[in-house]
Amino acid sequence: MQRGVPDDPAAGQPRRGVTRMFASAVPGATPIITRELKRLPGVQVTEVGFDGRADLILFEAERAGRESLSRLRSVEDLFVEVGRTVRSAGDNPSLIARRVWRPEQVEKALSAWSQAVRPLAGAMTYRVIARVRQERSFRRTALRDELSRSIAGGRPRWKAADPAQIEVWIGEYRPGHLVAGLRLSDGTAQPRAATEAERPGALRPSVAAMMVGLAGQPRRNLLDPCCGSGAILGQALAAGWSTVRGIDMDPAAVAAAGRHAPGATVWRGDARELTLPAGSVAAVVSALPSARPGSPAGQPTWLAEVLAEMDRITRPGGRVVLLAPEIPAGAIGDRLKVTASRQLRLSGTTTTLWAFDRL
């Protein structure tokens, strides 16, 4: 125990030979990602929560599990845990910071970070991000500043910077329960760049990966009939689908999708009139456009016509995965059976992730 720092009732001890980690995800995605984590060798999910902006999934991973985490594209970020604590053990940002940033725990976390990201240097740059569920006792900025002081005290050659080589996150994943970790990222840790593929209205890569995962094991062909800038196409190619195709009415979207998913075949077309043979695709995966006035999606019959075409071109035993706020029962044909629906919170808006089996 550090001098002047009380024992942490939340810390406990991990199982021998495992590394404590956690992942952040879009709100509502926890059940899907938990299932994906449980399929990885040597991974055991221990707790789940929400830090006010993102879902958090805490887990322990053996070496084989850590190596297989690179295949997990449906999470927003991965972290190696530094420490955890509770507010009730002294609801004070200085004490909380010192309880989660203990030398022995830090050394273990940095060892795992250096194996996953890059070798450590004597002098590193760092940045602290803090999220709390309530600010009655202290503001999150106070916790951020106190954790920065603890880091500077233990690592005098490290310098605060933005962007930085190492990002240290601390979040209150359940009321009164906090966890801190080092973000695992390639290269310099920094806020997500506003790339063309992630422009306003574009699908988040983690959600696209989640949708592709719900389509099942990669097979011969997958279609996105409202492909936008190609987020789903790119994730399908990365997952191992051999033939990936996209269609969109907007020529600018078709051009963008061709750039962002160069291994896919993309053309301009109408999702209500797909020029593909019946039963010719194994999976249809798509984020449907919003029903804004003047758009085809705003027409009352548009959704039913699109679903009818998806039904027609998907082979029996195939899968249809859609992102849409609402799909009325009357728009779903007899041969599409709803197998899952999950509400997600994206950019402050609630939508639903749907999965259908093609009978």
Side-chain angles (χ1 to χ4, degrees), residues 189-209:
Q190 56 185 325
R192 295 180 183 277
T195 64
E196 184 180 8
E198 295 178 331
R199 66 185 187 275
L203 188 63
R204 298 178 75 92
S206 62
V207 178

mmCIF file with all atom_site columns, all heavy atoms in Angstrom, residues 189-209:
data_model
loop_
_atom_site.group_PDB
_atom_site.id
_atom_site.type_symbol
_atom_site.label_atom_id
_atom_site.label_alt_id
_atom_site.label_comp_id
_atom_site.label_asym_id
_atom_site.label_entity_id
_atom_site.label_seq_id
_atom_site.pdbx_PDB_ins_code
_atom_site.Cartn_x
_atom_site.Cartn_y
_atom_site.Cartn_z
_atom_site.occupancy
_atom_site.B_iso_or_equiv
_atom_site.pdbx_formal_charge
_atom_site.auth_seq_id
_atom_site.auth_comp_id
_atom_site.auth_asym_id
_atom_site.auth_atom_id
_atom_site.pdbx_PDB_model_num
ATOM 1   N N   . ALA A 1 189 ? -2.127  8.304  -29.725 1.00 0.00 ? 189 ALA A N   1
ATOM 2   C CA  . ALA A 1 189 ? -3.502  8.360  -29.254 1.00 0.00 ? 189 ALA A CA  1
ATOM 3   C C   . ALA A 1 189 ? -4.008  9.786  -29.403 1.00 0.00 ? 189 ALA A C   1
ATOM 4   O O   . ALA A 1 189 ? -3.381  10.730 -28.957 1.00 0.00 ? 189 ALA A O   1
ATOM 5   C CB  . ALA A 1 189 ? -3.564  7.941  -27.790 1.00 0.00 ? 189 ALA A CB  1
ATOM 6   N N   . GLN A 1 190 ? -5.132  9.941  -30.065 1.00 0.00 ? 190 GLN A N   1
ATOM 7   C CA  . GLN A 1 190 ? -5.695  11.267 -30.280 1.00 0.00 ? 190 GLN A CA  1
ATOM 8   C C   . GLN A 1 190 ? -7.178  11.126 -30.582 1.00 0.00 ? 190 GLN A C   1
ATOM 9   O O   . GLN A 1 190 ? -7.651  10.037 -30.890 1.00 0.00 ? 190 GLN A O   1
ATOM 10  C CB  . GLN A 1 190 ? -4.995  11.982 -31.431 1.00 0.00 ? 190 GLN A CB  1
ATOM 11  C CG  . GLN A 1 190 ? -5.023  11.216 -32.752 1.00 0.00 ? 190 GLN A CG  1
ATOM 12  C CD  . GLN A 1 190 ? -4.209  11.904 -33.810 1.00 0.00 ? 190 GLN A CD  1
ATOM 13  O OE1 . GLN A 1 190 ? -4.149  13.124 -33.858 1.00 0.00 ? 190 GLN A OE1 1
ATOM 14  N NE2 . GLN A 1 190 ? -3.579  11.136 -34.673 1.00 0.00 ? 190 GLN A NE2 1
ATOM 15  N N   . PRO A 1 191 ? -7.946  12.217 -30.492 1.00 0.00 ? 191 PRO A N   1
ATOM 16  C CA  . PRO A 1 191 ? -9.360  12.134 -30.818 1.00 0.00 ? 191 PRO A CA  1
ATOM 17  C C   . PRO A 1 191 ? -9.556  11.629 -32.231 1.00 0.00 ? 191 PRO A C   1
ATOM 18  O O   . PRO A 1 191 ? -8.707  11.838 -33.115 1.00 0.00 ? 191 PRO A O   1
ATOM 19  C CB  . PRO A 1 191 ? -9.839  13.585 -30.673 1.00 0.00 ? 191 PRO A CB  1
ATOM 20  C CG  . PRO A 1 191 ? -8.847  14.227 -29.769 1.00 0.00 ? 191 PRO A CG  1
ATOM 21  C CD  . PRO A 1 191 ? -7.538  13.545 -30.061 1.00 0.00 ? 191 PRO A CD  1
ATOM 22  N N   . ARG A 1 192 ? -10.685 10.970 -32.482 1.00 0.00 ? 192 ARG A N   1
ATOM 23  C CA  . ARG A 1 192 ? -10.949 10.404 -33.800 1.00 0.00 ? 192 ARG A CA  1
ATOM 24  C C   . ARG A 1 192 ? -10.963 11.509 -34.854 1.00 0.00 ? 192 ARG A C   1
ATOM 25  O O   . ARG A 1 192 ? -11.597 12.536 -34.691 1.00 0.00 ? 192 ARG A O   1
ATOM 26  C CB  . ARG A 1 192 ? -12.300 9.683  -33.808 1.00 0.00 ? 192 ARG A CB  1
ATOM 27  C CG  . ARG A 1 192 ? -12.316 8.472  -32.903 1.00 0.00 ? 192 ARG A CG  1
ATOM 28  C CD  . ARG A 1 192 ? -13.674 7.810  -32.945 1.00 0.00 ? 192 ARG A CD  1
ATOM 29  N NE  . ARG A 1 192 ? -13.709 6.692  -32.030 1.00 0.00 ? 192 ARG A NE  1
ATOM 30  C CZ  . ARG A 1 192 ? -13.251 5.484  -32.308 1.00 0.00 ? 192 ARG A CZ  1
ATOM 31  N NH1 . ARG A 1 192 ? -12.728 5.230  -33.470 1.00 0.00 ? 192 ARG A NH1 1
ATOM 32  N NH2 . ARG A 1 192 ? -13.327 4.517  -31.416 1.00 0.00 ? 192 ARG A NH2 1
ATOM 33  N N   . ALA A 1 193 ? -10.262 11.260 -35.942 1.00 0.00 ? 193 ALA A N   1
ATOM 34  C CA  . ALA A 1 193 ? -10.221 12.243 -37.010 1.00 0.00 ? 193 ALA A CA  1
ATOM 35  C C   . ALA A 1 193 ? -11.547 12.283 -37.743 1.00 0.00 ? 193 ALA A C   1
ATOM 36  O O   . ALA A 1 193 ? -12.215 11.281 -37.904 1.00 0.00 ? 193 ALA A O   1
ATOM 37  C CB  . ALA A 1 193 ? -9.092  11.890 -37.999 1.00 0.00 ? 193 ALA A CB  1
ATOM 38  N N   . ALA A 1 194 ? -11.920 13.473 -38.193 1.00 0.00 ? 194 ALA A N   1
ATOM 39  C CA  . ALA A 1 194 ? -13.165 13.628 -38.947 1.00 0.00 ? 194 ALA A CA  1
ATOM 40  C C   . ALA A 1 194 ? -12.881 13.324 -40.412 1.00 0.00 ? 194 ALA A C   1
ATOM 41  O O   . ALA A 1 194 ? -12.769 14.205 -41.257 1.00 0.00 ? 194 ALA A O   1
ATOM 42  C CB  . ALA A 1 194 ? -13.699 15.045 -38.778 1.00 0.00 ? 194 ALA A CB  1
ATOM 43  N N   . THR A 1 195 ? -12.705 12.048 -40.721 1.00 0.00 ? 195 THR A N   1
ATOM 44  C CA  . THR A 1 195 ? -12.416 11.639 -42.074 1.00 0.00 ? 195 THR A CA  1
ATOM 45  C C   . THR A 1 195 ? -13.666 11.691 -42.920 1.00 0.00 ? 195 THR A C   1
ATOM 46  O O   . THR A 1 195 ? -14.784 11.806 -42.426 1.00 0.00 ? 195 THR A O   1
ATOM 47  C CB  . THR A 1 195 ? -11.854 10.212 -42.097 1.00 0.00 ? 195 THR A CB  1
ATOM 48  O OG1 . THR A 1 195 ? -12.877 9.322  -41.622 1.00 0.00 ? 195 THR A OG1 1
ATOM 49  C CG2 . THR A 1 195 ? -10.631 10.072 -41.202 1.00 0.00 ? 195 THR A CG2 1
ATOM 50  N N   . GLU A 1 196 ? -13.489 11.567 -44.230 1.00 0.00 ? 196 GLU A N   1
ATOM 51  C CA  . GLU A 1 196 ? -14.640 11.597 -45.132 1.00 0.00 ? 196 GLU A CA  1
ATOM 52  C C   . GLU A 1 196 ? -15.589 10.448 -44.823 1.00 0.00 ? 196 GLU A C   1
ATOM 53  O O   . GLU A 1 196 ? -16.804 10.600 -44.877 1.00 0.00 ? 196 GLU A O   1
ATOM 54  C CB  . GLU A 1 196 ? -14.161 11.511 -46.586 1.00 0.00 ? 196 GLU A CB  1
ATOM 55  C CG  . GLU A 1 196 ? -15.294 11.631 -47.603 1.00 0.00 ? 196 GLU A CG  1
ATOM 56  C CD  . GLU A 1 196 ? -14.784 11.555 -49.031 1.00 0.00 ? 196 GLU A CD  1
ATOM 57  O OE1 . GLU A 1 196 ? -13.596 11.260 -49.221 1.00 0.00 ? 196 GLU A OE1 1
ATOM 58  O OE2 . GLU A 1 196 ? -15.585 11.776 -49.954 1.00 0.00 ? 196 GLU A OE2 1
ATOM 59  N N   . ALA A 1 197 ? -15.014 9.287  -44.445 1.00 0.00 ? 197 ALA A N   1
ATOM 60  C CA  . ALA A 1 197 ? -15.859 8.133  -44.156 1.00 0.00 ? 197 ALA A CA  1
ATOM 61  C C   . ALA A 1 197 ? -16.645 8.321  -42.875 1.00 0.00 ? 197 ALA A C   1
ATOM 62  O O   . ALA A 1 197 ? -17.628 7.634  -42.640 1.00 0.00 ? 197 ALA A O   1
ATOM 63  C CB  . ALA A 1 197 ? -15.000 6.877  -44.049 1.00 0.00 ? 197 ALA A CB  1
ATOM 64  N N   . GLU A 1 198 ? -16.210 9.271  -42.005 1.00 0.00 ? 198 GLU A N   1
ATOM 65  C CA  . GLU A 1 198 ? -16.890 9.487  -40.745 1.00 0.00 ? 198 GLU A CA  1
ATOM 66  C C   . GLU A 1 198 ? -17.515 10.880 -40.711 1.00 0.00 ? 198 GLU A C   1
ATOM 67  O O   . GLU A 1 198 ? -17.665 11.485 -39.667 1.00 0.00 ? 198 GLU A O   1
ATOM 68  C CB  . GLU A 1 198 ? -15.909 9.299  -39.583 1.00 0.00 ? 198 GLU A CB  1
ATOM 69  C CG  . GLU A 1 198 ? -15.401 7.877  -39.458 1.00 0.00 ? 198 GLU A CG  1
ATOM 70  C CD  . GLU A 1 198 ? -14.404 7.719  -38.326 1.00 0.00 ? 198 GLU A CD  1
ATOM 71  O OE1 . GLU A 1 198 ? -13.706 8.695  -38.010 1.00 0.00 ? 198 GLU A OE1 1
ATOM 72  O OE2 . GLU A 1 198 ? -14.326 6.630  -37.758 1.00 0.00 ? 198 GLU A OE2 1
ATOM 73  N N   . ARG A 1 199 ? -17.899 11.423 -41.869 1.00 0.00 ? 199 ARG A N   1
ATOM 74  C CA  . ARG A 1 199 ? -18.527 12.729 -41.908 1.00 0.00 ? 199 ARG A CA  1
ATOM 75  C C   . ARG A 1 199 ? -19.904 12.652 -41.262 1.00 0.00 ? 199 ARG A C   1
ATOM 76  O O   . ARG A 1 199 ? -20.437 11.564 -41.068 1.00 0.00 ? 199 ARG A O   1
ATOM 77  C CB  . ARG A 1 199 ? -18.634 13.208 -43.355 1.00 0.00 ? 199 ARG A CB  1
ATOM 78  C CG  . ARG A 1 199 ? -19.564 12.401 -44.246 1.00 0.00 ? 199 ARG A CG  1
ATOM 79  C CD  . ARG A 1 199 ? -19.490 12.915 -45.688 1.00 0.00 ? 199 ARG A CD  1
ATOM 80  N NE  . ARG A 1 199 ? -20.490 12.288 -46.531 1.00 0.00 ? 199 ARG A NE  1
ATOM 81  C CZ  . ARG A 1 199 ? -20.337 11.116 -47.133 1.00 0.00 ? 199 ARG A CZ  1
ATOM 82  N NH1 . ARG A 1 199 ? -19.223 10.439 -46.953 1.00 0.00 ? 199 ARG A NH1 1
ATOM 83  N NH2 . ARG A 1 199 ? -21.287 10.610 -47.901 1.00 0.00 ? 199 ARG A NH2 1
ATOM 84  N N   . PRO A 1 200 ? -20.482 13.812 -40.891 1.00 0.00 ? 200 PRO A N   1
ATOM 85  C CA  . PRO A 1 200 ? -21.794 13.800 -40.233 1.00 0.00 ? 200 PRO A CA  1
ATOM 86  C C   . PRO A 1 200 ? -22.812 12.970 -41.007 1.00 0.00 ? 200 PRO A C   1
ATOM 87  O O   . PRO A 1 200 ? -22.966 13.117 -42.221 1.00 0.00 ? 200 PRO A O   1
ATOM 88  C CB  . PRO A 1 200 ? -22.178 15.286 -40.209 1.00 0.00 ? 200 PRO A CB  1
ATOM 89  C CG  . PRO A 1 200 ? -20.858 15.997 -40.157 1.00 0.00 ? 200 PRO A CG  1
ATOM 90  C CD  . PRO A 1 200 ? -19.931 15.173 -41.019 1.00 0.00 ? 200 PRO A CD  1
ATOM 91  N N   . GLY A 1 201 ? -23.486 12.070 -40.304 1.00 0.00 ? 201 GLY A N   1
ATOM 92  C CA  . GLY A 1 201 ? -24.479 11.209 -40.942 1.00 0.00 ? 201 GLY A CA  1
ATOM 93  C C   . GLY A 1 201 ? -23.929 9.872  -41.375 1.00 0.00 ? 201 GLY A C   1
ATOM 94  O O   . GLY A 1 201 ? -24.702 8.958  -41.670 1.00 0.00 ? 201 GLY A O   1
ATOM 95  N N   . ALA A 1 202 ? -22.603 9.738  -41.436 1.00 0.00 ? 202 ALA A N   1
ATOM 96  C CA  . ALA A 1 202 ? -22.014 8.457  -41.844 1.00 0.00 ? 202 ALA A CA  1
ATOM 97  C C   . ALA A 1 202 ? -22.103 7.458  -40.694 1.00 0.00 ? 202 ALA A C   1
ATOM 98  O O   . ALA A 1 202 ? -22.185 7.818  -39.521 1.00 0.00 ? 202 ALA A O   1
ATOM 99  C CB  . ALA A 1 202 ? -20.558 8.648  -42.269 1.00 0.00 ? 202 ALA A CB  1
ATOM 100 N N   . LEU A 1 203 ? -22.069 6.172  -41.031 1.00 0.00 ? 203 LEU A N   1
ATOM 101 C CA  . LEU A 1 203 ? -22.181 5.101  -40.050 1.00 0.00 ? 203 LEU A CA  1
ATOM 102 C C   . LEU A 1 203 ? -20.858 4.908  -39.328 1.00 0.00 ? 203 LEU A C   1
ATOM 103 O O   . LEU A 1 203 ? -19.795 4.852  -39.959 1.00 0.00 ? 203 LEU A O   1
ATOM 104 C CB  . LEU A 1 203 ? -22.594 3.807  -40.747 1.00 0.00 ? 203 LEU A CB  1
ATOM 105 C CG  . LEU A 1 203 ? -22.956 2.614  -39.876 1.00 0.00 ? 203 LEU A CG  1
ATOM 106 C CD1 . LEU A 1 203 ? -24.187 2.914  -39.024 1.00 0.00 ? 203 LEU A CD1 1
ATOM 107 C CD2 . LEU A 1 203 ? -23.198 1.382  -40.744 1.00 0.00 ? 203 LEU A CD2 1
ATOM 108 N N   . ARG A 1 204 ? -20.910 4.790  -38.006 1.00 0.00 ? 204 ARG A N   1
ATOM 109 C CA  . ARG A 1 204 ? -19.693 4.557  -37.231 1.00 0.00 ? 204 ARG A CA  1
ATOM 110 C C   . ARG A 1 204 ? -19.099 3.199  -37.602 1.00 0.00 ? 204 ARG A C   1
ATOM 111 O O   . ARG A 1 204 ? -19.831 2.208  -37.725 1.00 0.00 ? 204 ARG A O   1
ATOM 112 C CB  . ARG A 1 204 ? -20.009 4.597  -35.746 1.00 0.00 ? 204 ARG A CB  1
ATOM 113 C CG  . ARG A 1 204 ? -20.542 5.926  -35.265 1.00 0.00 ? 204 ARG A CG  1
ATOM 114 C CD  . ARG A 1 204 ? -20.881 5.871  -33.790 1.00 0.00 ? 204 ARG A CD  1
ATOM 115 N NE  . ARG A 1 204 ? -19.684 5.901  -32.979 1.00 0.00 ? 204 ARG A NE  1
ATOM 116 C CZ  . ARG A 1 204 ? -19.123 7.004  -32.487 1.00 0.00 ? 204 ARG A CZ  1
ATOM 117 N NH1 . ARG A 1 204 ? -19.664 8.181  -32.768 1.00 0.00 ? 204 ARG A NH1 1
ATOM 118 N NH2 . ARG A 1 204 ? -18.039 6.951  -31.746 1.00 0.00 ? 204 ARG A NH2 1
ATOM 119 N N   . PRO A 1 205 ? -17.778 3.097  -37.756 1.00 0.00 ? 205 PRO A N   1
ATOM 120 C CA  . PRO A 1 205 ? -17.162 1.812  -38.118 1.00 0.00 ? 205 PRO A CA  1
ATOM 121 C C   . PRO A 1 205 ? -17.499 0.692  -37.144 1.00 0.00 ? 205 PRO A C   1
ATOM 122 O O   . PRO A 1 205 ? -17.689 -0.454 -37.558 1.00 0.00 ? 205 PRO A O   1
ATOM 123 C CB  . PRO A 1 205 ? -15.667 2.136  -38.113 1.00 0.00 ? 205 PRO A CB  1
ATOM 124 C CG  . PRO A 1 205 ? -15.593 3.603  -38.388 1.00 0.00 ? 205 PRO A CG  1
ATOM 125 C CD  . PRO A 1 205 ? -16.795 4.195  -37.731 1.00 0.00 ? 205 PRO A CD  1
ATOM 126 N N   . SER A 1 206 ? -17.574 0.997  -35.839 1.00 0.00 ? 206 SER A N   1
ATOM 127 C CA  . SER A 1 206 ? -17.877 -0.055 -34.863 1.00 0.00 ? 206 SER A CA  1
ATOM 128 C C   . SER A 1 206 ? -19.284 -0.607 -35.059 1.00 0.00 ? 206 SER A C   1
ATOM 129 O O   . SER A 1 206 ? -19.521 -1.808 -34.894 1.00 0.00 ? 206 SER A O   1
ATOM 130 C CB  . SER A 1 206 ? -17.725 0.487  -33.439 1.00 0.00 ? 206 SER A CB  1
ATOM 131 O OG  . SER A 1 206 ? -18.637 1.546  -33.189 1.00 0.00 ? 206 SER A OG  1
ATOM 132 N N   . VAL A 1 207 ? -20.236 0.265  -35.422 1.00 0.00 ? 207 VAL A N   1
ATOM 133 C CA  . VAL A 1 207 ? -21.615 -0.195 -35.653 1.00 0.00 ? 207 VAL A CA  1
ATOM 134 C C   . VAL A 1 207 ? -21.674 -1.006 -36.938 1.00 0.00 ? 207 VAL A C   1
ATOM 135 O O   . VAL A 1 207 ? -22.357 -2.041 -37.015 1.00 0.00 ? 207 VAL A O   1
ATOM 136 C CB  . VAL A 1 207 ? -22.592 0.996  -35.698 1.00 0.00 ? 207 VAL A CB  1
ATOM 137 C CG1 . VAL A 1 207 ? -24.018 0.519  -35.979 1.00 0.00 ? 207 VAL A CG1 1
ATOM 138 C CG2 . VAL A 1 207 ? -22.545 1.769  -34.389 1.00 0.00 ? 207 VAL A CG2 1
ATOM 139 N N   . ALA A 1 208 ? -20.953 -0.558 -37.964 1.00 0.00 ? 208 ALA A N   1
ATOM 140 C CA  . ALA A 1 208 ? -20.897 -1.322 -39.209 1.00 0.00 ? 208 ALA A CA  1
ATOM 141 C C   . ALA A 1 208 ? -20.330 -2.713 -38.958 1.00 0.00 ? 208 ALA A C   1
ATOM 142 O O   . ALA A 1 208 ? -20.842 -3.716 -39.475 1.00 0.00 ? 208 ALA A O   1
ATOM 143 C CB  . ALA A 1 208 ? -20.060 -0.576 -40.245 1.00 0.00 ? 208 ALA A CB  1
ATOM 144 N N   . ALA A 1 209 ? -19.279 -2.808 -38.140 1.00 0.00 ? 209 ALA A N   1
ATOM 145 C CA  . ALA A 1 209 ? -18.688 -4.111 -37.824 1.00 0.00 ? 209 ALA A CA  1
ATOM 146 C C   . ALA A 1 209 ? -19.664 -4.979 -37.050 1.00 0.00 ? 209 ALA A C   1
ATOM 147 O O   . ALA A 1 209 ? -19.750 -6.196 -37.270 1.00 0.00 ? 209 ALA A O   1
ATOM 148 C CB  . ALA A 1 209 ? -17.398 -3.911 -37.027 1.00 0.00 ? 209 ALA A CB  1
#
